[in-house]
Amino acid sequence: MATIDGIVSGLGTGALIDSLIALQAGQQTLLSQKKATASSMVTALQALNTKVASLAEHAATAAKPATWQAVTAAVTQPGTATAAPGTTPGAPGAGAAGATATVRTGAQIGTLSFRVTAVAQSQASLVELPATFASTTPSFTITRGGQDVTVTAASSSVPDLVDAFNAPGTGVRATAVKVAVLDGEGRATGETTYRLQLTGTETGAAHAFTVAHDGADLTLGSVRTASDSAITLFPGSPSEQTLTSASTTFEGVMTGVDLVVTAVTAPGAEPLTLDVTRDQAAARTLAAGLVTNLTTVLSEIGSRTRATTGTAADGGTLVTGGIFAGNTAVRLLQQNILAQGSMPVGGTSPSDVGIVLGKDGTFTFDQAVFDAAMAADPEKVATVLQGVAARLAETAKAASDPISGTLTLSVTAQQGTVRDLGDRIAEWDDRLAARRASLERTYASLETTLSGLQSQAGYLSSYLASSNPSTSS
């Protein structure tokens, strides 16, 4: 309700009411501070939970034996430079002059020697078109792989013929090529004309084609003959044999390895060698990634637990703990991660394979130690890191599981606290509003009462003055 501030009493009733409300709002202020702290805790726990979930995912991948069986393929040849080898399934491997290799899932370690004796190509031919056509919309039959496809041109003009042969499903691509006109003795006349060149859309001898018009085969001038790729395996040995392919790719030439040929091996040159070896770079990346995720989680916990110092109101030093200080769930998670990441596997310490726990409680990846251990015994390294990863995956999963994880439950509990405090703060808003209204009514009533008393006092003064008039001497 609206009030007139101390109009009768002269008191600052508005300021007085504000002071009384401020005193009673102290509890609400404390609740707001608690809500802000709980909201900060929710944000911090959610950020930590995201990082722990990432650790769980990476560790689960690193715990799988198949993850450590990654291989890379490289084609080499004495006297030629090689490219960098491929590192993942489906990625191209290194290539010497004449071939490249691609590894797929399931590729196995091994070696193969071979020579490239032919590279697949598609047919390319110049078509001898009739001088005249019986129809204004000439038709042609393309025979390829025992199948016939008939195309009909909109007219006998070269552009329309090109469009007809380029229709979908013909198996050829057409283009007009400008050539010299020859006389009867094969000499250039100085004039030019356009000839139709057809190129097969697929390589391999099986995709050779012929072209007929009005039931008669047209003459095709050979530009390039359709042929298969061919490689000779184990050249020079009693087991020498030849493989062919309609394309430039030989699928599964070794288990999980495809070979792509690009050039014929020069006569007298050394054979090519396909080597499929363990992919040490991929293993190194996997181990380093595990350490990176470990470091990220522990750094998150450390930064939010570390105390900060400031200056108190009296000039003294004020020490404030981090938001995770005293949080049991976070402290236990930190201890478990440190333990699971550093405990030996089969008597071998993780530090012996490059995962080192320092005195400051942080992990680092020692690449030199890892590479040396891989060179000495890659199976042992894989076993140790799989064991460490499996333990970390279990610990991180138990904390970050979206339903039953300890961090997830902590987040849920803190969110419940935030909601409860919000409700209590809202209740205080209603309570204080009601108290203000009550005080305003009380002080308004006081002003009214004082106004009445002032009126009565004025009346009595007037009455007494009139009842006892003054006399002059």
PDB file of all heavy atoms in Angstrom, residues 121-123 144 171 199-204 207-208 226 246:
ATOM      1  N   GLN A 121      43.732 -50.704 -68.224  1.00  0.00           N
ATOM      2  CA  GLN A 121      43.316 -49.490 -68.898  1.00  0.00           C
ATOM      3  C   GLN A 121      42.013 -49.742 -69.647  1.00  0.00           C
ATOM      4  O   GLN A 121      41.628 -50.879 -69.909  1.00  0.00           O
ATOM      5  CB  GLN A 121      44.396 -49.013 -69.870  1.00  0.00           C
ATOM      6  CG  GLN A 121      44.776 -50.024 -70.941  1.00  0.00           C
ATOM      7  CD  GLN A 121      45.943 -49.544 -71.801  1.00  0.00           C
ATOM      8  OE1 GLN A 121      46.646 -48.597 -71.464  1.00  0.00           O
ATOM      9  NE2 GLN A 121      46.155 -50.205 -72.934  1.00  0.00           N
ATOM     10  N   SER A 122      41.322 -48.664 -69.933  1.00  0.00           N
ATOM     11  CA  SER A 122      40.073 -48.765 -70.671  1.00  0.00           C
ATOM     12  C   SER A 122      40.337 -48.562 -72.157  1.00  0.00           C
ATOM     13  O   SER A 122      41.359 -48.002 -72.556  1.00  0.00           O
ATOM     14  CB  SER A 122      39.071 -47.706 -70.178  1.00  0.00           C
ATOM     15  OG  SER A 122      39.599 -46.411 -70.380  1.00  0.00           O
ATOM     16  N   GLN A 123      39.403 -49.020 -72.985  1.00  0.00           N
ATOM     17  CA  GLN A 123      39.536 -48.864 -74.437  1.00  0.00           C
ATOM     18  C   GLN A 123      39.258 -47.418 -74.824  1.00  0.00           C
ATOM     19  O   GLN A 123      38.354 -46.766 -74.296  1.00  0.00           O
ATOM     20  CB  GLN A 123      38.560 -49.788 -75.159  1.00  0.00           C
ATOM     21  CG  GLN A 123      38.559 -49.630 -76.673  1.00  0.00           C
ATOM     22  CD  GLN A 123      37.556 -50.556 -77.342  1.00  0.00           C
ATOM     23  OE1 GLN A 123      37.154 -51.560 -76.754  1.00  0.00           O
ATOM     24  NE2 GLN A 123      37.157 -50.228 -78.552  1.00  0.00           N
ATOM     25  N   ARG A 144      29.262 -54.437 -75.408  1.00  0.00           N
ATOM     26  CA  ARG A 144      30.326 -54.432 -74.394  1.00  0.00           C
ATOM     27  C   ARG A 144      30.048 -55.539 -73.395  1.00  0.00           C
ATOM     28  O   ARG A 144      28.962 -55.609 -72.813  1.00  0.00           O
ATOM     29  CB  ARG A 144      30.358 -53.082 -73.666  1.00  0.00           C
ATOM     30  CG  ARG A 144      31.462 -52.914 -72.641  1.00  0.00           C
ATOM     31  CD  ARG A 144      31.451 -51.492 -72.076  1.00  0.00           C
ATOM     32  NE  ARG A 144      30.207 -51.231 -71.361  1.00  0.00           N
ATOM     33  CZ  ARG A 144      30.065 -51.355 -70.029  1.00  0.00           C
ATOM     34  NH1 ARG A 144      31.095 -51.730 -69.298  1.00  0.00           N
ATOM     35  NH2 ARG A 144      28.909 -51.098 -69.465  1.00  0.00           N
ATOM     36  N   GLY A 171      28.220 -47.101 -71.091  1.00  0.00           N
ATOM     37  CA  GLY A 171      29.521 -47.705 -70.845  1.00  0.00           C
ATOM     38  C   GLY A 171      30.664 -47.002 -71.549  1.00  0.00           C
ATOM     39  O   GLY A 171      31.811 -47.463 -71.473  1.00  0.00           O
ATOM     40  N   THR A 199      35.610 -43.525 -75.264  1.00  0.00           N
ATOM     41  CA  THR A 199      36.479 -44.078 -74.221  1.00  0.00           C
ATOM     42  C   THR A 199      35.633 -44.871 -73.249  1.00  0.00           C
ATOM     43  O   THR A 199      34.605 -44.368 -72.754  1.00  0.00           O
ATOM     44  CB  THR A 199      37.220 -42.954 -73.461  1.00  0.00           C
ATOM     45  OG1 THR A 199      37.961 -42.167 -74.399  1.00  0.00           O
ATOM     46  CG2 THR A 199      38.166 -43.544 -72.421  1.00  0.00           C
ATOM     47  N   GLY A 200      36.031 -46.101 -72.977  1.00  0.00           N
ATOM     48  CA  GLY A 200      35.286 -46.926 -72.038  1.00  0.00           C
ATOM     49  C   GLY A 200      35.311 -46.342 -70.630  1.00  0.00           C
ATOM     50  O   GLY A 200      36.313 -45.766 -70.197  1.00  0.00           O
ATOM     51  N   THR A 201      34.219 -46.506 -69.926  1.00  0.00           N
ATOM     52  CA  THR A 201      34.144 -45.967 -68.559  1.00  0.00           C
ATOM     53  C   THR A 201      34.761 -46.919 -67.539  1.00  0.00           C
ATOM     54  O   THR A 201      34.973 -46.533 -66.388  1.00  0.00           O
ATOM     55  CB  THR A 201      32.677 -45.706 -68.172  1.00  0.00           C
ATOM     56  OG1 THR A 201      31.917 -46.913 -68.323  1.00  0.00           O
ATOM     57  CG2 THR A 201      32.074 -44.619 -69.041  1.00  0.00           C
ATOM     58  N   GLU A 202      35.067 -48.174 -67.948  1.00  0.00           N
ATOM     59  CA  GLU A 202      35.668 -49.132 -67.038  1.00  0.00           C
ATOM     60  C   GLU A 202      36.892 -49.762 -67.683  1.00  0.00           C
ATOM     61  O   GLU A 202      36.940 -49.970 -68.892  1.00  0.00           O
ATOM     62  CB  GLU A 202      34.668 -50.227 -66.655  1.00  0.00           C
ATOM     63  CG  GLU A 202      33.461 -49.720 -65.882  1.00  0.00           C
ATOM     64  CD  GLU A 202      32.511 -50.843 -65.502  1.00  0.00           C
ATOM     65  OE1 GLU A 202      32.809 -51.569 -64.531  1.00  0.00           O
ATOM     66  OE2 GLU A 202      31.483 -51.010 -66.196  1.00  0.00           O
ATOM     67  N   THR A 203      37.861 -50.063 -66.828  1.00  0.00           N
ATOM     68  CA  THR A 203      39.076 -50.701 -67.318  1.00  0.00           C
ATOM     69  C   THR A 203      38.893 -52.212 -67.398  1.00  0.00           C
ATOM     70  O   THR A 203      37.928 -52.771 -66.879  1.00  0.00           O
ATOM     71  CB  THR A 203      40.258 -50.387 -66.386  1.00  0.00           C
ATOM     72  OG1 THR A 203      39.951 -50.887 -65.072  1.00  0.00           O
ATOM     73  CG2 THR A 203      40.523 -48.896 -66.306  1.00  0.00           C
ATOM     74  N   GLY A 204      39.827 -52.873 -68.034  1.00  0.00           N
ATOM     75  CA  GLY A 204      39.804 -54.330 -68.110  1.00  0.00           C
ATOM     76  C   GLY A 204      39.434 -54.840 -69.487  1.00  0.00           C
ATOM     77  O   GLY A 204      38.614 -54.242 -70.207  1.00  0.00           O
ATOM     78  N   HIS A 207      35.857 -55.265 -70.712  1.00  0.00           N
ATOM     79  CA  HIS A 207      35.043 -54.096 -71.010  1.00  0.00           C
ATOM     80  C   HIS A 207      35.410 -53.470 -72.356  1.00  0.00           C
ATOM     81  O   HIS A 207      35.121 -52.297 -72.602  1.00  0.00           O
ATOM     82  CB  HIS A 207      35.184 -53.062 -69.885  1.00  0.00           C
ATOM     83  CG  HIS A 207      34.643 -53.550 -68.572  1.00  0.00           C
ATOM     84  ND1 HIS A 207      35.442 -53.842 -67.496  1.00  0.00           N
ATOM     85  CD2 HIS A 207      33.369 -53.839 -68.191  1.00  0.00           C
ATOM     86  CE1 HIS A 207      34.695 -54.262 -66.502  1.00  0.00           C
ATOM     87  NE2 HIS A 207      33.436 -54.278 -66.902  1.00  0.00           N
ATOM     88  N   ALA A 208      36.031 -54.256 -73.233  1.00  0.00           N
ATOM     89  CA  ALA A 208      36.252 -53.789 -74.603  1.00  0.00           C
ATOM     90  C   ALA A 208      34.896 -53.669 -75.303  1.00  0.00           C
ATOM     91  O   ALA A 208      33.943 -54.388 -74.981  1.00  0.00           O
ATOM     92  CB  ALA A 208      37.152 -54.767 -75.346  1.00  0.00           C
ATOM     93  N   ALA A 226      41.712 -51.993 -74.358  1.00  0.00           N
ATOM     94  CA  ALA A 226      41.276 -52.386 -73.019  1.00  0.00           C
ATOM     95  C   ALA A 226      42.097 -53.574 -72.540  1.00  0.00           C
ATOM     96  O   ALA A 226      42.263 -54.556 -73.272  1.00  0.00           O
ATOM     97  CB  ALA A 226      39.792 -52.749 -73.034  1.00  0.00           C
ATOM     98  N   ALA A 246      40.738 -56.702 -63.387  1.00  0.00           N
ATOM     99  CA  ALA A 246      40.158 -55.808 -64.392  1.00  0.00           C
ATOM    100  C   ALA A 246      40.413 -54.342 -64.053  1.00  0.00           C
ATOM    101  O   ALA A 246      40.366 -53.482 -64.934  1.00  0.00           O
ATOM    102  CB  ALA A 246      38.664 -56.058 -64.522  1.00  0.00           C
TER     103      ALA A 246
END
